[in-house]
Amino acid sequence: MSEPIRELVESLVAEFTRDARGRKVAQLLAQYAAAHEDWRRFGHFQPDCYTRNLVARNEHFEMLVLCWSAGQESPIHDHAGQNCWMGILDGVIEETQFALPRGGGPLEELATRAFARGKVAYISDDIALHRVRPAAGQSGVSLHLYSKPIDVCRIFDRQSGKVLEKTMLYHSVDGVPAVR
Ligand SMILES: [Fe+2]
């Protein structure tokens, strides 16, 4: 029996093969996120940091399940020139966008939006930087699609605007915890 999450991956491969910009990606992610639970075998939480769990990676994209315990959050980051979609699988996830810094100084905060299960957010470097976290006091799970895969991104200090390169790691691959 095929898993819905594998069918989603196949649909996404077909979509990116048809259209490199992936115009139907948000719709495909929203349909999956609202209807299915088989992502749970990729859902590993850790007390010290949110986790990045790889579901699929190919020439077009990588797809990850991110698990957020209460109080955990991403750094403010960019997306290495790639397209990023985030579908909500569980809980409510909050996204705060920041303007790309021109020179030094504190980052300018633009807007905060909250997304519930089945909703999909999209961002690219043309739009903004962002920080992602679950709603206050709650955990959450989100499905991230990066086209193309992102191995290194930039993270930004909110107060100084200082930039660091960050190498992306997987906490698990295909449901199996990564050994460190
Ligand atoms: Fe992001």
Side-chain angles (χ1 to χ4, degrees), residues 118-163:
K119 299 297 182 198
V120 176
Y122 170 81
I123 198 166
S124 69
D125 295 343
D126 295 336
I127 297 173
L129 309 172
H130 73 177
R131 178 193 64 211
V132 175
R133 62 188 182 192
Q138 298 176 32
S139 61
V141 182
S142 48
L143 183 65
H144 294 241
L145 190 85
Y146 304 114
S147 177
K148 308 216 181 286
I150 299 175
D151 292 319
V152 178
C153 76
R154 295 188 301 165
I155 62 173
F156 297 77
D157 181 77
R158 182 175 180 167
Q159 294 311 320
S160 67
K162 210 175 146 212
V163 185

